[in-house]
Amino acid sequence: MWPLYAAGFTTAFGAHGIAANLGGFSKGAVTSLLVLGGLLALYDGAEVVLKPVFGALADRIGARPVLLGGLFAFALASAVYVVADGPGWLWAARLGQGAAASAFSPSASALVARLNPAVKHGRSFGSYGFHKSIGYTLGPLLGGVLVWAGGLWLLFAVLAVLGAAVAVWAAVAVPVVPPLPRNRQTVLDLARRLADPAFLAPTAALAAATAALSVGVGFLPVSGRAAGLGTVATGAAVSVLAAVAAVVQPKAGRALDDGRLTTRTGLVAGLLVTAAGLACAVLPGLAGVLLGAVLIGAGTGLITPLGFAALAASTPAERLGQTMGAAELGRELGDAGGPLLVAAVASIATLTHGFAALAVLVAAGAVAVQARGRGVPTRPASETEG
């Protein structure tokens, strides 16, 4: 399991480490905010398009080969910028990293489910989410230190070594998990499965959690600066958000496995806590920023392992890659849609109205999950390997 946790850390660290440092340390590659936006969107855009594709491929040929190929491709894409170190190659490297992460991220999620019995899915996905949260937390910080010490080139070099090292580790330690026989699936069959509440409810909750997390990371510092807080205070608030999410995820997973928490109750509670955090962000000053950070972190930390465990429980083992890829697509849409919604509302009214608008949507999601989430299972549709 540890190489899978390391793969989760790698994609999170790479995504946020580079994104946080592109604007100020890119040797003339970023000539405008439009160019910066394009570079930031390139990584996520590749994931939106390719994650379902690679998830389906993992079901066809096995998740392990797709995992290893994605990690080696991530190392190669990072090395492109290390060798070329030019503005044009930055676009190629960023696109390559996003495409590679699209391969190994859903494959890692599928392997987490395949390599653990259903009674340990909560713990397993909680630990996986914990290490991804650590990557999100350390990415901007350690990435900034590396860029300060040696430029963007050094950060890409570290990512190349990290990707290659995790790939070798996974090749040695992750067992072969052969693809399972699959019944023929038509487009209509796939549409029915993706429209089932057992898929829609957890995926919608994961998308809402990712939207809130992205908004918290991006807009809480803006709210703090408007209240007169310094960069240290606003940076600490974002770190608190990520740290709380990291701590809560394993605890939520254990509570699910031990029967102290059901999937539907946990998802509803997580959405309501997240909505409360967004509502608290409306409050002025340090109190609003910190309360918002803590509650958003707690809510998203509760939703993430439960959502993935529910998806694993409702999916036949031979279709896990496809389901995880589709669910990751939902998260990416939430990652992009949350900030866009808040920014659009803020441009018309104020940032507090933007937080409030997203809070209402997330709370409505909790009502929808409560009403239509009765089909969300807590046990698998087919046996998984132990």
Side-chain angles (χ1 to χ4, degrees):
M1 292 300 298
W2 281 103
L4 302 181
Y5 299 155
F9 173 87
T10 299
T11 183
F13 180 78
H16 279 209
I18 294 176
N21 292 283
L22 275 175
F25 304 96
S26 47
K27 289 188 177 181
V30 178
T31 55
S32 68
L33 289 177
L34 182 61
V35 172
L36 176 60
L39 280 168
L40 293 173
L42 201 59
Y43 189 100
D44 291 329
E47 291 189 308
V48 167
V49 174
L50 295 175
K51 275 186 173 179
V53 176
F54 282 118
L57 181 64
D59 291 333
R60 182 178 296 275
I61 68 172
R64 186 175 180 271
V66 180
L67 172 78
L68 298 179
L71 286 167
F72 278 119
F74 185 87
L76 182 61
S78 303
V80 164
Y81 185 74
V82 175
V83 175
D85 195 11
W89 289 104
L90 179 58
W91 290 82
R94 193 67 176 156
L95 178 61
Q97 286 181 329
S102 303
F104 71 77
S105 183
S107 300
S109 298
L111 284 167
V112 169
R114 288 286 305 275
L115 293 174
N116 289 278
V119 293
K120 292 185 179 179
H121 277 173
R123 288 177 172 84
S124 302
F125 281 110
S127 297
Y128 181 72
F130 170 82
H131 287 87
K132 287 193 77 169
S133 294
I134 294 299
Y136 288 133
T137 304
L138 295 182
L141 176 62
L142 292 184
V145 171
L146 290 170
V147 170
W148 171 80
L152 200 61
W153 175 91
L154 180 60
L155 176 55
F156 272 91
V158 169
L159 289 173
V161 173
L162 177 63
V166 176
V168 171
W169 188 11
V172 172
V174 176
V176 175
V177 182
L180 297 173
R182 298 177 302 157
N183 295 325
R184 184 175 178 272
Q185 176 182 254
T186 65
V187 174
L188 185 58
D189 293 332
L190 175 61
R192 286 197 188 104
R193 190 157 60 83
L194 297 185
D196 193 297
F199 174 83
L200 282 180
T203 302
L206 288 168
T210 308
L213 186 64
S214 183
V215 166
V217 170
F219 289 98
L220 281 178
V222 176
S223 183
R225 285 194 296 272
L229 302 177
T231 55
V232 174
T234 55
V238 172
S239 297
V240 166
L241 189 158
V244 170
V247 170
V248 168
Q249 288 191 60
K251 296 181 181 297
R254 284 194 296 271
L256 177 67
D257 291 342
D258 294 342
R260 292 180 283 114
L261 184 67
T262 65
T263 303
R264 187 172 60 150
T265 300
L267 292 178
V268 171
L271 288 167
L272 291 176
V273 171
T274 302
L278 291 166
C280 287
V282 173
L283 301 175
L286 181 62
V289 173
L290 284 180
L291 276 175
V294 170
L295 291 176
I296 292 172
T300 57
L302 183 57
I303 292 166
T304 302
L306 303 186
F308 278 113
L311 290 169
S314 67
T315 304
E318 66 272 15
R319 301 286 182 186
L320 275 171
Q322 186 180 69
T323 295
M324 293 303 174
E328 290 281 1
L329 169 60
R331 295 186 78 198
E332 294 297 334
L333 293 176
D335 194 20
L340 285 175
L341 171 67
V342 172
V345 174
S347 65
I348 299 171
T350 65
L351 181 56
T352 56
H353 287 86
F355 282 128
L358 185 57
V360 170
L361 279 180
V362 173
V367 174
V369 171
Q370 177 65 26
R372 302 197 61 187
R374 297 182 185 277
V376 177
T378 57
R379 288 293 179 266
S382 60
E383 283 299 318
T384 58
E385 286 80 0

